[in-house]
Amino acid sequence: MFDGHQSALPAPVHLTFLGLTKRLVTGLFALLSTEQRKHVGLSLKDALARSHSATSTIYKEKTDAVVSVGISEWAATLTVVCFVFRLVLPSSQAAAGAPISPLLAALEVVDPYNALINALYFLPRADVDGEAACRSWHTADELLALADRFFTLVCAAFLRRDTASFGRNTDVPNLHRLRELLQAVIRRLLHVRHVQELLYESAHQPLKRAIMSGTGRDDASRALRRMLEGELASHIAL
């Protein structure tokens, strides 16, 4: 895992938000009709604008595509997306024993993902959140149980024929990297918030620039050797 998916540990927010959240939202839009996409797109834009998000446009009607935004915008999107998409569900879905529509089956995947992300990133502090919040903090076993529920519902949704478009957008390598991240981080570090951007990532930037803009071959070679030495040191540290 450390050799194959090195970026998952130093930067888990890139995986959970820029990677999977965008894929999940794209998969939800794929299950909607053209008119439903317009309705959901406007509702989502209004919800993000009211949350004072820097970028409120997630779905562009002209290109019929989900656009790329920053991590904070995707975090805000994940917070409201289940409420917004439920606006276009038929009222018959609320009846007991009614067949589950493809969109509802997909939303049942996003709901536990939202709960998992909330649990992973919530790090209570006694001076801010109080003693009760600190005592009710999720244990490692509870976090892994939330992850198991999410992956169980993912498998159930992928087995349905009418959610094939949702599966094509979601069944990507990042989905499998999430399980690897959880197994590696939760069992060893207990919480994903303990994993932060490593200092050597910023230290690499001037070395990379030296490789690309160096005036002499020796300068570029020396910068490349230093960067590779840093990579080796980071592997040993991890």
Side-chain angles (χ1 to χ4, degrees), residues 7-53:
S7 62
L9 282 182
V13 290
H14 289 75
L15 172 65
T16 52
F17 293 111
L18 292 180
L20 278 179
T21 299
K22 180 181 179 181
R23 286 289 183 172
L24 289 171
V25 174
T26 304
L28 290 174
F29 271 104
L31 296 174
L32 302 180
S33 64
T34 303
E35 289 299 322
Q36 288 176 328
R37 291 177 187 176
K38 295 179 181 179
H39 180 58
V40 171
L42 291 174
S43 299
L44 186 58
K45 182 177 181 178
D46 184 60
L48 292 177
R50 291 178 180 273
S51 68
H52 304 287
S53 175

Side-chain angles (χ1 to χ4, degrees), residues 65-78:
V66 175
V67 299
S68 296
V69 294
I71 292 176
S72 59
E73 286 77 21
W74 280 123
T77 301
L78 183 61

Side-chain angles (χ1 to χ4, degrees), residues 195-217:
V195 183
Q196 300 177 352
E197 292 282 358
L198 302 184
L199 296 178
Y200 67 82
E201 289 291 336
S202 59
H204 280 180
Q205 300 307 316
L207 300 179
K208 294 176 181 178
R209 288 195 295 268
I211 292 174
M212 299 178 63
S213 60
T215 56
R217 186 180 62 181

Side-chain angles (χ1 to χ4, degrees), residues 104-163:
L104 184 57
L107 287 173
E108 288 183 350
V109 174
V110 181
D111 282 331
Y113 182 73
N114 200 344
L116 174 62
I117 296 301
N118 289 338
L120 286 177
Y121 284 91
F122 178 57
L123 192 64
R125 292 175 294 173
D127 56 338
V128 176
D129 305 293
E131 180 183 357
C134 295
R135 291 183 178 275
S136 61
W137 187 26
H138 288 84
T139 64
D141 291 338
E142 290 173 343
L143 291 176
L144 292 177
L146 289 174
D148 288 339
R149 171 172 170 73
F150 166 66
F151 284 108
T152 299
L153 292 173
V154 166
C155 294
F158 286 178
L159 290 175
R160 293 173 56 118
R161 294 184 178 180
D162 52 4
T163 57

Side-chain angles (χ1 to χ4, degrees), residues 173-191:
N174 279 339
L175 182 65
H176 310 287
R177 291 178 185 177
L178 177 64
R179 180 179 288 278
E180 296 171 348
L181 171 69
L182 296 174
Q183 294 294 330
V185 172
I186 301 304
R187 294 188 182 280
R188 292 171 175 81
L189 303 179
L190 303 182
H191 201 280

